[in-house]
Amino acid sequence: MQEDMDTVPQSRSGDITLLEKMRRQITNGRYGPGDLIPELTLAEEFGVSRTPIREALKQLQNEGLVEIRPRVGTFVRQPTRREIVELFELKESLEGLAAGLLARRGRVRELETLERNLMDSDRAAAEGDSQAYAELVHEFHWTLVRGADNRKLYETYERLMNQLAYHRIVVNTVARPERLKASDNEHHSVVEAIKSKDALDAEFTMRNHVRASSQAALRPIDEPQPARPGSIDDDAQENRRVEGGELRAC
Amino acid sequence: MQEDMDTVPQSRSGDITLLEKMRRQITNGRYGPGDLIPELTLAEEFGVSRTPIREALKQLQNEGLVEIRPRVGTFVRQPTRREIVELFELKESLEGLAAGLLARRGRVRELETLERNLMDSDRAAAEGDSQAYAELVHEFHWTLVRGADNRKLYETYERLMNQLAYHRIVVNTVARPERLKASDNEHHSVVEAIKSKDALDAEFTMRNHVRASSQAALRPIDEPQPARPGSIDDDAQENRRVEGGELRAC
DNA sequence: CCATGTCTTCTTGCATACATGAAACCTATG
DNA sequence: CATAGGTTTCATGTATGCAAGAAGACATGG
């Protein structure tokens, strides 16, 4: 869904499948944050040698998903709270840039995709189908970034989202109804601004949306909601689990 | 100069030297764009095996400096003109973000570094020492990005600059005097906006500066200047050399 | 019971050997 | 002379072996 722009970004070697599988293993699979991932285990699991595993792990390292402690091992890395804030700041800037660029492009295919997405999102919002809505949010943002027609931006965004482990966030996302509604409205505003071809307006509307969404995602960490009193009081510490399941984004 | 923020970004293995050396070999060294880089050659040159060389090459690939054609070889990659434009768009956005963040931080160490830089730049500009000025431009931008106090932004910026092969640009940069002067003035405006703690103003002042600088850098490609009529007429084609020596940035 | 020093084990880091595939080259033929 | 086919060469992709280092366990002495 995010591998094909028009042609393949780079003619990477055939391990693209392996790398993707390993990514899944780490983000969704049974490897949780802090866990050690022995190369040999993965190697015999995927039926290959340690060499390609090592290469993939190195790539995952500089994507920020794992941490390789030399001579010790490779561990699943959980972004610190600070890193998440930093990534959201970047996300806001990049998606703002994307919205502006898309607005400048005029009526392109991606814009129509966004409009269709809006209709589907309205329906999902009306029905309160937060699962479907989460999927549509995903598609909305990726479509927008793709529509910017800037491959370097796209790659940077991809890397960013991988680091955020956005999958983990989105999958566990069952947004609160009021935020869902607000999100839907904001999406409408964004598309409206893009359609009006006002690049600056589009950029800032998007940035406001991303900021709101990020803050909504971070809030459960900042101040545990009364409805869910449980067990979140020890942030402040770095390298502490940020309880990804609590993150929402839309 | 750009490896140390406070602590080392990631405890990478000891090949950081090797990787850096290879980067130099490619950006400065005897490997020009399009050249094949046999792993074995590098291996025996650095006195190591092919394995660490391969790892470094893979990293250089996803930094965009080389292209690995599977089963064929690793080639020095020259960014296409389009990619350079894309990278400059990103650069503008990222440095704008950095300026805004720095403005919000108030009076920090980096701000004083910028002010000192301004004084030195004024002197270099007055003396017409474009070489020294180029160095100071370099420091100016890196200091600003570092001053944003956002490590993810810093890493993204670093990756971006590596892809741009900014070294190649800056080293060969002997900016035209009028652009040098304009650049110096813009730097002043930027620092002024940052000091006034107006984040939005700082962001846009910076963005305007980066845009101006980028356009100045791209102009020699767009329209060969009458003073240097030579040999630049075949852009439009992708994968064509962009004649990095012609790029200026300030 | 606690602390300290040693040892074992596990994991990575690097080197090397071999297989595979692609590109270039050489030759033979129309 | 040009072209098609086959062969050779070269560079990568992968597997495996070996060594070095770190973390934890265990035993021993205070």
Side-chain angles (χ1 to χ4, degrees), chain B residues 171-196:
Chain B
V171 162
N172 298 352
T173 290
V174 182
R176 288 163 299 191
E178 72 268 18
R179 178 60 204 144
L180 190 152
K181 198 72 182 168
S183 163
D184 191 42
N185 286 336
E186 288 163 14
H187 281 192
H188 275 277
S189 305
V190 167
V191 172
E192 213 53 50
I194 291 174
K195 277 163 67 178
S196 73

Side-chain angles (χ1 to χ4, degrees), chain A residues 55-125:
Chain A
E55 290 184 354
L57 283 180
K58 265 240 162 174
Q59 173 131 2
L60 290 179
Q61 178 193 30
N62 79 30
E63 283 180 14
L65 269 163
V66 303
E67 177 188 0
I68 300 179
R69 288 216 288 264
R71 296 279 178 192
V72 178
T74 304
F75 300 86
V76 178
R77 185 157 150 49
Q78 178 78 353
T80 65
R81 172 173 165 70
R82 167 167 185 156
E83 281 176 313
I84 291 181
V85 172
E86 291 184 356
L87 288 168
F88 274 136
E89 281 175 353
L90 259 177
K91 186 170 185 284
E92 177 184 326
S93 185
L94 294 181
E95 294 195 15
L97 172 61
L101 290 175
L102 177 53
R104 260 194 272 274
R105 288 188 69 200
R107 191 140 202 94
V108 292
R109 190 172 63 251
E110 284 87 357
L111 188 51
E112 295 168 18
T113 306
L114 287 182
E115 287 175 329
R116 278 198 306 275
N117 181 289
L118 242 43
M119 291 171 54
D120 295 341
S121 294
D122 287 344
R123 193 174 335 123

Side-chain angles (χ1 to χ4, degrees), chain A residues 4 7 11 23 41 74 85 123 129 133 154 177 184 204 206 244:
Chain A
D4 51 340
T7 64
S11 62
R23 220 201 299 276
T41 306
T74 304
V85 172
R123 193 174 335 123
D129 187 349
Y133 187 78
Y154 190 89
D184 192 42
F204 276 85
M206 189 64 191

Side-chain angles (χ1 to χ4, degrees), chain B residues 37 39 50 54 71:
Chain B
I37 315 176
E39 295 174 355
R50 274 180 52 214
R54 291 198 95 240
R71 295 280 177 193

Side-chain angles (χ1 to χ4, degrees), chain B residues 66-83:
Chain B
V66 302
E67 176 188 1
I68 301 178
R69 287 216 289 265
R71 295 280 177 193
V72 178
T74 304
F75 299 86
V76 178
R77 186 159 149 47
Q78 178 79 351
T80 64
R81 172 172 165 70
R82 168 168 184 156
E83 280 176 313

Side-chain angles (χ1 to χ4, degrees), chain B residues 23-35:
Chain B
R23 220 200 299 277
R24 299 254 168 81
Q25 280 274 356
I26 289 170
T27 57
N28 308 333
R30 66 179 189 285
Y31 289 108
D35 285 358

Side-chain angles (χ1 to χ4, degrees), chain B residues 80-165:
Chain B
T80 64
R81 172 172 165 70
R82 168 168 184 156
E83 280 176 313
I84 291 181
V85 172
E86 291 185 356
L87 288 168
F88 274 137
E89 281 175 355
L90 259 177
K91 186 170 185 284
E92 176 184 328
S93 185
L94 293 181
E95 294 195 16
L97 172 62
L101 290 175
L102 177 54
R104 260 194 272 275
R105 287 188 69 200
R107 191 142 199 92
V108 293
R109 189 173 61 251
E110 284 87 358
L111 189 50
E112 295 168 18
T113 305
L114 286 182
E115 287 175 329
R116 277 198 306 275
N117 182 288
L118 242 43
M119 290 170 54
D120 295 341
S121 294
D122 287 344
R123 192 175 334 122
E127 296 174 359
D129 187 347
S130 55
Q131 186 65 32
Y133 188 78
E135 288 290 333
L136 288 164
V137 165
H138 206 87
E139 184 195 295
F140 184 89
H141 287 250
W142 279 105
T143 302
L144 191 133
V145 173
R146 182 150 36 84
D149 195 36
N150 180 321
R151 184 169 299 186
K152 290 301 173 186
L153 167 60
Y154 190 89
E155 290 170 5
T156 306
Y157 186 73
E158 195 175 3
R159 168 173 243 87
L160 166 78
M161 294 297 269
N162 280 336
Q163 285 187 61
L164 257 180

